[in-house]
Amino acid sequence: GAVVSQHPSWVICKSGTSVKIECRSLDFQATTMFWYRQFPKQSLMLMATSNEGSKATYEQGVEKDKFLINHASLTLSTLTVTSAHPEDSSFYICSAPPRDRGGNQPQHFGDGTRLSIL
Amino acid sequence: GESVGLHLPTLSVQEGDNSIINCAYSNSASDYFIWYKQESGKGPQFIIDIRSNMDKRQGQRVTVLLNKTVKHLSLQIAATQPGDSAVYFCADRYNYGQNFVFGPGTRLSVLP
């Protein structure tokens, strides 16, 4: 079946560091990918929609300059957390929606990246 | 789904019993619904989906029921097993878009 791979799975770094997270669709092409943020014991909150070949669409309240998204190919989207601070510590998850024959799109998720900023 | 706050509802069931997890959604234009299972430290895993033109769909040990009148979705797990312990999220999509809204989640604990 369709698989989404996310890397790295865990990052610990100092405050002020920029961190890049990769999201790859392994056996299908994804013109669109989604980036979510999840705090402990909370639901997934959509941060942005990554669009291949064009600018990402950010949800209200998400800083574009803070969370840089690049979707340079049909199988790879990257999220860069720039100048990360402790409040950016969270679980970041990507997803990609391959279309099934009926046109519905059960999103497939990566296994997430645990980001801890010291 | 409706993300209604910081509390994660918990459902505890005895191993072998049936589980019912409920979810409310707010958008009457939602046309597609998915249930996901999330284990600790992992991404959500697809369980079952249902379109708005259906009111019931069955999978292996799982059944999803959709009541559009009251905007309610439920996931039934038959003969619950320890491996079913996880957080379950409903998600709904509207207007045939690609964005999904996730519910607050329910933690299912299976007691031995």
Side-chain angles (χ1 to χ4, degrees):
Chain A
V3 177
V4 173
S5 175
Q6 196 170 335
H7 178 81
S9 57
W10 193 19
V11 180
I12 301 176
C13 58
K14 294 180 179 179
S15 185
T17 306
S18 291
V19 179
K20 179 185 284 187
I21 303 170
E22 295 185 347
C23 180
R24 295 180 184 272
S25 55
L26 297 185
D27 57 359
F28 65 97
Q29 293 182 333
T31 56
T32 302
M33 292 185 179
F34 299 98
W35 287 97
Y36 294 84
R37 185 172 182 176
Q38 186 178 32
F39 291 106
K41 299 185 179 181
Q42 293 190 36
S43 188
L44 284 72
M45 296 300 295
L46 181 65
M47 297 175 65
T49 303
S50 174
N51 304 299
E52 188 271 333
S54 64
K55 292 182 179 180
T57 305
Y58 291 81
E59 295 300 301
Q60 190 173 9
V62 178
E63 299 177 58
K64 300 178 182 181
D65 296 332
K66 177 72 169 178
F67 300 100
L68 300 179
I69 291 173
N70 183 279
H71 195 149
S73 78
L74 288 170
T75 60
L76 174 64
S77 174
T78 61
L79 168 68
T80 301
V81 183
T82 62
S83 187
H85 289 91
E87 59 267 27
D88 298 322
S89 298
S90 190
F91 193 52
Y92 293 88
I93 311 173
C94 70
S95 73
R99 287 186 180 273
D100 67 11
R101 292 179 182 178
N104 289 313
Q105 303 162 335
Q107 292 187 38
H108 295 271
F109 287 84
D111 268 342
T113 296
R114 174 76 58 195
L115 176 61
S116 297
I117 307 298
L118 304 177
Chain B
E2 295 182 350
S3 287
V4 294
L6 302 180
H7 300 289
L8 193 63
T10 299
L11 173 67
S12 297
V13 298
Q14 210 69 38
E15 182 179 353
D17 287 353
N18 297 334
S19 303
I20 299 176
I21 301 171
N22 297 303
C23 179
Y25 64 95
S26 57
N27 195 328
S28 57
S30 293
D31 64 296
Y32 181 49
F33 306 84
I34 302 178
W35 278 101
Y36 287 97
K37 173 186 180 183
Q38 187 179 27
E39 296 175 288
S40 181
K42 295 188 176 181
Q45 176 187 1
F46 171 82
I47 300 175
I48 192 168
D49 58 358
I50 188 168
R51 288 180 248 179
S52 58
N53 61 351
M54 305 169 68
D55 53 22
K56 181 179 180 179
R57 190 162 189 226
Q58 287 184 295
Q60 186 177 14
R61 281 202 309 119
V62 294
T63 301
V64 55
L65 298 178
L66 174 63
N67 185 329
K68 293 182 288 295
T69 303
V70 295
K71 300 194 196 68
H72 183 268
L73 194 69
S74 69
L75 176 69
Q76 300 178 2
I77 304 174
T80 312
Q81 303 169 0
D84 295 326
S85 293
V87 178
Y88 290 81
F89 292 98
C90 66
D92 64 292
R93 176 193 81 180
Y94 57 92
N95 289 337
Y96 298 92
Q98 292 185 315
N99 288 359
F100 284 82
V101 176
F102 282 78
T106 297
R107 179 176 299 282
L108 175 64
S109 295
V110 181
L111 307 173

